[in-house]
Amino acid sequence: MRDAPGPAPVDQPGQEPGRQLDPELERAARLYRLVDHADPHAVRREAARRIRVARMTGQWAADDPGVRVEDTVASDGAGRAVPVRVYRPVAAAAPYPAVLYLHGGAFISGDLDFEHPRCLQMCRGTGAVVVSVDYRLAPEHPAPAALEDSVLAHRWLCGAGGRALSVDTGRIAVAGTSAGGALAAGVCLTARDEGELPPPVLQMLLYPVVDDTMETGSARAFTDTPAWDSPNCAQMWRHYLGPAGTRDGAPPHTVPARTADLSGLPAAYVMTAEYDPLRDEGAAYARRLADAGVPTELHQYAGTFHGFDTLAPATVSRRALQQQHAVLRGALHRPRQT
């Protein structure tokens, strides 16, 4: 397991001693409107507003000439279906590798537009089909609804959906940001336990939500950080776990850190941000994966906050995205063993 090095913190006026944001991220941090997640509807309105503003200012890429985009549904053939958006690289040749992508949004917000620009970039940057999942949201649909939808989409991609898309089912990665990181980890845990499908070749967990205890140092310390803070973490878990959220009552794999045995899982790439309440739980999960014998890389980006890689056009953001694409290319385009 490898940690990415970064510069030592330097104090700046207006910041806590020892807290040093990357200079290119400072403006984004000042402009970002942090919404109280006690009200899911307010969170969704703010997410929609940000997309509208990004579109008007040209910062939201609607399309890419190198990527074909199609909205469809992933179905289990027995009446259950989940909306998905499929991104296909124009220049690549079938059979394609694929990435099942689970968006962030604290389990309570997000849709197929929520991380559309990221998925466009991921498709172009990896040469893989990207399938983004519009899973059900809490609190209207508490756990395990989001995980059930994500698992259904994975089964579809490994079966009828993958055949229709000319996907090589032996080269599928699962990726997720924030709450989507919990779902990506949960998909991998479910696939391992069921043992019926080809296992994903990689789980990419980007500043992931994995632990509901909120007992880490970063969860205790970061009560006022840009983009995401620990008070909103508490609201997120309350909405998502609902009546199932007792210490022993959460549905299996909805809180990945509660899973005792992490052996036999796909190789993992875990990325964390220095000033993120989720930082330490992501790092702890990566270390547990490594201790269980899972090939694991852990990268912490210094001077960054939650969601930094898509919230600002900073050098560190571009570097993080480039590394994500490189890791996916390495996992997905590796020759298959016979």
Side-chain angles (χ1 to χ4, degrees):
M1 184 173 64
R2 183 171 70 235
D3 291 278
V10 178
D11 296 349
Q12 276 198 346
Q15 294 190 0
E16 294 179 16
R19 187 177 293 187
Q20 169 66 68
L21 282 180
D22 181 285
E24 291 184 280
L25 294 177
E26 287 180 9
R27 183 172 183 273
R30 290 194 300 269
L31 294 176
Y32 195 88
R33 182 192 302 173
L34 191 61
V35 180
D36 184 356
H37 279 53
D39 182 354
H41 299 288
V43 175
R44 294 168 192 169
R45 287 193 297 271
E46 176 61 13
R49 185 196 69 83
R50 288 173 185 156
I51 291 174
R52 288 196 303 272
V53 170
R55 280 174 167 155
M56 288 188 294
T57 57
Q59 299 175 9
W60 195 89
D63 52 37
D64 184 316
V67 179
R68 291 194 301 270
V69 181
E70 176 188 6
D71 288 352
T72 185
V73 294
S75 172
D76 65 358
R80 289 185 59 228
V82 181
V84 296
R85 180 168 292 168
V86 178
Y87 302 78
R88 283 188 267 194
V90 170
Y96 308 103
V99 180
L100 183 74
Y101 181 74
L102 291 316
H103 66 75
F107 302 112
I108 64 173
S109 70
D111 54 24
L112 293 177
D113 283 342
F114 192 66
E115 295 194 76
H116 176 72
R118 180 197 284 275
C119 291
L120 283 173
Q121 292 178 343
M122 184 178 287
C123 178
R124 175 178 276 278
T126 64
V129 168
V130 176
V131 177
S132 178
V133 183
D134 192 13
Y135 55 83
R136 288 170 291 171
L137 300 175
E140 294 88 346
H141 304 282
L147 180 57
E148 289 174 345
D149 290 350
S150 303
V151 168
L152 185 154
H154 179 237
R155 290 174 180 152
W156 174 83
L157 187 57
C158 288
R163 290 191 296 272
L165 297 171
S166 299
V167 163
D168 177 354
T169 57
R171 293 188 294 153
I172 294 176
V174 182
T177 55
S178 193
L183 299 174
V187 165
C188 292
L189 288 162
T190 303
R192 178 201 65 179
D193 291 354
E194 292 182 347
E196 298 173 357
L197 302 174
V201 297
L202 178 76
Q203 52 181 321
M204 176 167 280
L205 313 180
L206 306 176
Y207 29 85
V209 169
V210 290
D211 186 357
D212 63 324
T213 63
M214 297 183 59
E215 294 175 352
T216 66
S218 62
R220 290 193 297 267
F222 295 145
T223 59
D224 61 348
T225 37
W228 190 242
D229 58 24
S230 54
N232 277 339
C233 283
Q235 298 290 357
M236 171 189 68
W237 285 119
R238 180 176 65 84
H239 293 309
Y240 182 52
L241 295 182
T246 62
R247 186 69 194 110
D248 300 317
H253 306 326
T254 55
V255 184
R258 294 192 189 188
T259 303
D261 179 14
L262 299 183
S263 63
L265 288 168
Y269 172 90
V270 182
M271 187 188 85
T272 61
E274 183 177 11
Y275 301 122
D276 183 352
L278 304 177
R279 182 195 67 197
D280 292 350
E281 65 190 70
Y285 193 73
R287 293 188 172 94
R288 285 188 57 207
L289 287 167
D291 289 345
V294 176
T296 303
E297 290 189 39
L298 167 63
H299 293 263
Q300 177 183 303
Y301 279 84
T304 62
F305 52 83
H306 190 82
F308 75 96
D309 52 343
T310 58
L311 288 179
T315 301
V316 68
S317 305
R318 290 190 292 271
R319 180 161 57 90
L321 288 170
Q322 289 166 0
Q323 185 176 73
Q324 293 162 31
H325 298 165
V327 169
L328 286 167
R329 287 195 304 270
L332 293 171
H333 294 283
R334 185 179 298 125
R336 295 184 65 181
Q337 295 182 351
T338 57

